[in-house]
DNA sequence: TTGTAGGCGTTATCAC
DNA sequence: GTGATAACGCCTACAA
């Protein structure tokens, strides 16, 4: 029955008794000088044949695919997911598609994905850099391919980057702890292999904030440990006499480990230790007690990234690349009490 | 400087002093009869020119894009996200890309996305049907476009569908409640507009399970309410004398409302009311108390969906379409106590 | 206003 | 073993 004979613009033209170009004009809405009757015929033929244009052929000709590539380093972070969603929304408004790839922090994977997407002729990239791929990024720049970084800064590269003001996030937390009377404050953070902007900035922001309050000597505790061992590591640290009364989790994944630690040690949040989490997880607000969190402005970041990318894609004189930092949002809840 | 003169297969051929066809052979690894020297020359030229093939042109010719479309009805559900991830992993292994679209349960959006992706010549679709688009799906079938449904069943359509055994999920919960001594059990569920398989099956599964245990008369409470009003609705219901001692949240979004309800009413989970959630959220296991959950087998579902789709794409005699149900996983934790 | 012809970058079919 | 040549489906001068 159905011979999958793909119907093309030629079929429509034949059916309507006119030429391919005219149909093409119609499809591209250039019907300024087109006869009403012609339009009508074309419309009918398209409907009759169930024609739908082949974007591939169009893209090949126009050198535009209306697709962008988005490469995230770690999709397990809620933050990544939220940024992805916002970018997708922004793109869908302009009928642009997004192909998302997850590198798991692996530069090799990142390279592979960039090349695949390039081969696919995507119109631009939004990348959460996995790091250590400077040459790869430079090639993209050399080829004038629109590019925006999110979440992490790659030094010495003229690429617009948009991220949370991570030092501010750490400062907000320390500030709140101190206001509530805490003098011994800990930071739980995964190891800083490579340059991971958020991690290192949250750490440096924490250190600065503590120093500014004269707490950097005896009041500062830094628990740097891989996630897998974090709970046990904290448990050991909290056996000691000299331990913090407040604990800042540097991101959502770390926060889960902190909760795990509290559970297994029978530590009551609020009473035994005060907690703040950078990143606001879905259940944080209804946790027991509700967890005071510092939320990254994911949607603002996603929107800005998309906007910067679109500017480059529309060839308009692109602004000079810059780093755009956005303030996190402090969500005061019930997990911080006086010590 | 850099003239963005795209280098093509022709440039490579010229540079190597051979013909396009030979280069093409090389690229497609058909070098059974190719001289070692020729290969060498091609390799060098490719490197020298920094050539990378244009997948678009290849796709146009081969009528294959190595890209599939994935359309989810509600990306806010953790389940959707997890299935997406698994599918992406499975695809990446075969160098297939995935374009994800979110319909927000809107059939119109679904239609638009399907058409856009079709125009992009994707090789297949994995769809969480928003419902009420039977004709659209039928067109895909008529065109022999590979298609798999996930999470929801569309009646009378010969399409392979893979989902959680939702009735079993409800039964597991009821069973556990009853074993723990509960005789009055409630179900919190969003309204059943349209045919939403999981919702309706969890409801019917709940009813059957209650009936089987002789609890359908005085022991069964069904709280059907939009998410926005769920917490208040539950609050009102729990003011009454006749109320359940156990409550089943029919999915993750509902579960959040249930927790919200507990917080605002000062209800202690475990002591005042026992809770089970269908869908296991990231923090459920470290909640206080840890929440007994019934986890959907998202990764199994994603893998199966990908597998079924690949089968169709590889044209191999596809199995007759069937509904594949997978058992959920019962995660016993601390939110269910004797009443 | 509409039609003709050539090309976008690859691959496929045959000759050579 | 390698190389012309014709598609793939569409767009775009330019001609009519």
């Amino acid at each position: 029955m159905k011979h999958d004979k793909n119907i093309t613009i030629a079929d429509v033209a034949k059916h309507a008794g006119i030429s391919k170009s005219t149909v093409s004009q119609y499809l591209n809405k250039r019907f300024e000088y087109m006869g009403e009757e012609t339009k009508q015929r074309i419309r009918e033929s398209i409907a009759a044949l169930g024609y739908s244009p082949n974007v591939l052929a169009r893209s090949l000709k126009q050198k535009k695919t209306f697709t962008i590539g988005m490469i995230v380093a770690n999709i397990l972070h809620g933050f990544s997911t939220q940024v992805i969603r916002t970018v997708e929304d922004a793109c869908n408004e302009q009928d642009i598609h997004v192909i998302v790839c997850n590198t798991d922090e692996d530069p090799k994977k990142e390279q592979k994905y960039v090349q695949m997407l390039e081969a696919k002729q995507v119109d631009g990239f939004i990348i959460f850099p996995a790091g250590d791929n400077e040459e790869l990024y430079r090639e993209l720049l050399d080829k004038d391919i629109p590019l925006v970084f999110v979440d992490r800064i790659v030094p010495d590269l003229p690429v617009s980057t948009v991220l949370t003001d991570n030092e501010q996030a750490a400062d907000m937390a320390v500030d709140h702890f101190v206001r509530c009377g805490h003098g011994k404050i800990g930071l739980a953070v995964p190891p800083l292999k490579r340059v991971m902007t958020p991690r290192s900035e949250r750490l440096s922001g924490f250190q600065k904030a503590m120093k500014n309050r004269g707490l950097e000597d005896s009041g500062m505790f830094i628990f740097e440990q891989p996630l897998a061992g974090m709970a046990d590591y904290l448990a050991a640290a909290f056996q000691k006499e000299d331990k913090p009364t407040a604990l800042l989790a540097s991101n959502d994944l770390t926060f889960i480990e902190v909760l795990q630690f509290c559970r297994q040690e029978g530590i009551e949040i609020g009473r035994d230790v005060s907690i703040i989490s950078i990143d606001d997880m879905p259940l944080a607000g209804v946790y027991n007690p509700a967890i005071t969190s510092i939320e990254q402005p994911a949607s603002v970041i996603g929107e800005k990234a998309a906007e910067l990318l679109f500017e480059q894609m529309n060839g308009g004189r692109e602004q000079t690349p810059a780093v755009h930092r956005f303030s996190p949002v402090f969500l005061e809840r019930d997990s911080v009490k006086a010590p």
Side-chain angles (χ1 to χ4, degrees), chain A residues 169-182 185 209 213 246 274-276 292-294 330-339:
Chain A
D171 189 80
M172 279 176 165
V174 171
D175 183 67
H176 186 69
F177 279 142
V178 170
R179 274 180 204 284
C180 291
H182 291 273
I185 306 174
R213 291 165 180 85
S274 288
I275 301 271
I276 294 181
T292 296
S293 305
I294 294 171
F330 190 80
L331 300 170
E332 181 166 359
R333 296 200 272 242
D334 309 317
S335 59
V336 179
K337 304 289 186 199

Side-chain angles (χ1 to χ4, degrees), chain A residues 9 23-30 51 53-67 94-96 120-123 313-314:
Chain A
I9 209 173
V23 178
S24 177
Q25 316 268 48
Y26 174 86
L27 291 173
N28 292 288
K29 314 210 187 304
R30 304 300 313 148
Y51 166 79
N54 181 330
V55 175
L56 242 50
R58 182 213 305 260
S59 294
L60 179 58
K61 184 71 191 177
Q62 296 185 159
K63 297 176 178 311
K64 260 189 146 254
T65 53
F66 302 95
T67 302
Q94 323 224 2
D95 288 345
I96 291 175
K120 246 190 169 104
Q121 315 293 112
V122 295
D123 296 335
M313 295 191 337
N314 298 332

Side-chain angles (χ1 to χ4, degrees), chain A residues 31 33 44-46 53 91 112-113 125 137 151 153 169 185 194 199 201 254 267 285 289 295 308 321 324 326 328 339:
Chain A
F31 20 53
Y33 301 106
E44 286 170 7
S45 299
I46 288 181
C91 288
K112 176 185 153 195
Y113 284 138
F125 285 93
Y137 308 141
D151 195 45
I153 295 174
I185 306 174
R194 288 214 210 87
R199 262 175 225 185
E201 289 187 355
T254 308
I267 289 178
E295 184 187 22
L308 289 168
H324 305 262
F326 291 95

Side-chain angles (χ1 to χ4, degrees), chain A residues 57 79 94 104 129 140 144 229 238 279 287 312:
Chain A
F79 174 67
Q94 323 224 2
D104 282 323
L140 290 178
D144 278 328
F238 273 71
D279 281 344
Y287 199 82
Q312 293 181 43

Side-chain angles (χ1 to χ4, degrees), chain A residues 274-287:
Chain A
S274 288
I275 301 271
I276 294 181
S277 165
I278 297 184
D279 281 344
D280 184 45
M281 297 196 70
L283 288 190
V286 287
Y287 199 82

Side-chain angles (χ1 to χ4, degrees), chain A residues 197-268:
Chain A
T197 313
R199 262 175 225 185
S200 59
E201 289 187 355
R202 285 170 199 177
L203 174 56
S204 64
F206 178 75
Q207 290 167 322
K208 280 187 204 168
M210 294 297 280
K211 188 159 189 178
N212 288 341
R213 291 165 180 85
L215 261 31
E216 80 274 29
D217 291 327
S218 59
M220 185 164 78
F221 299 77
I222 291 176
F223 306 111
E224 184 175 331
Q225 195 70 194
L227 288 181
M230 182 63 86
D232 290 337
Y233 184 79
L234 288 173
F238 273 71
Q239 296 295 343
K240 299 185 186 165
E241 194 55 40
D242 187 33
K243 64 190 175 197
T245 56
L247 189 52
L248 173 61
S250 78
N251 65 29
D252 53 359
L253 268 24
T254 308
F255 173 58
I256 291 180
E257 298 305 316
V258 168
L259 288 184
Q260 178 60 37
F261 147 68
C262 291
R263 296 205 77 235
Q264 77 185 38
E265 298 298 308
I267 289 178
E268 188 180 320

Side-chain angles (χ1 to χ4, degrees), chain A residues 68-218:
Chain A
I68 69 166
M70 188 152 180
I71 300 185
V72 306
N74 189 344
I75 206 168
L76 291 178
H77 284 294
F79 174 67
S80 312
T81 313
Q82 292 169 46
V83 175
I84 292 171
R85 284 216 58 208
T86 318
V87 170
E88 281 176 337
D89 287 348
C91 288
N92 286 336
E93 273 177 23
Q94 323 224 2
D95 288 345
I96 291 175
H97 281 143
V98 185
I99 296 180
V100 179
C101 302
N102 175 36
T103 61
D104 282 323
E105 308 281 4
D106 179 350
K108 293 271 171 262
K109 271 198 188 180
E110 184 175 77
Q111 187 176 355
K112 176 185 153 195
Y113 284 138
V114 166
Q115 285 165 351
M116 285 180 70
L117 291 170
E118 228 187 307
K120 246 190 169 104
Q121 315 293 112
V122 295
D123 296 335
F125 285 93
I126 291 179
I127 301 183
F128 289 57
D132 208 26
N133 254 340
E134 195 179 316
E135 199 169 337
L136 179 66
Y137 308 141
R138 238 177 244 292
E139 283 172 22
L140 290 178
L141 289 180
D142 284 348
K143 294 177 194 154
D144 278 328
I145 297 179
L147 171 61
V148 172
F149 285 147
V150 171
D151 195 45
R152 299 175 186 179
I153 295 174
V154 179
D156 306 323
L157 223 50
V159 175
S160 283
T161 306
V162 24
L163 74 168
T164 302
D165 189 333
N166 290 294
E167 292 210 336
Q168 189 187 356
D171 189 80
M172 279 176 165
V174 171
D175 183 67
H176 186 69
F177 279 142
V178 170
R179 274 180 204 284
C180 291
H182 291 273
K184 293 181 171 232
I185 306 174
L187 171 72
V189 59
L192 280 80
K193 44 180 180 193
R194 288 214 210 87
V195 206
M196 315 264 270
T197 313
R199 262 175 225 185
S200 59
E201 289 187 355
R202 285 170 199 177
L203 174 56
S204 64
F206 178 75
Q207 290 167 322
K208 280 187 204 168
M210 294 297 280
K211 188 159 189 178
N212 288 341
R213 291 165 180 85
L215 261 31
E216 80 274 29
D217 291 327
S218 59

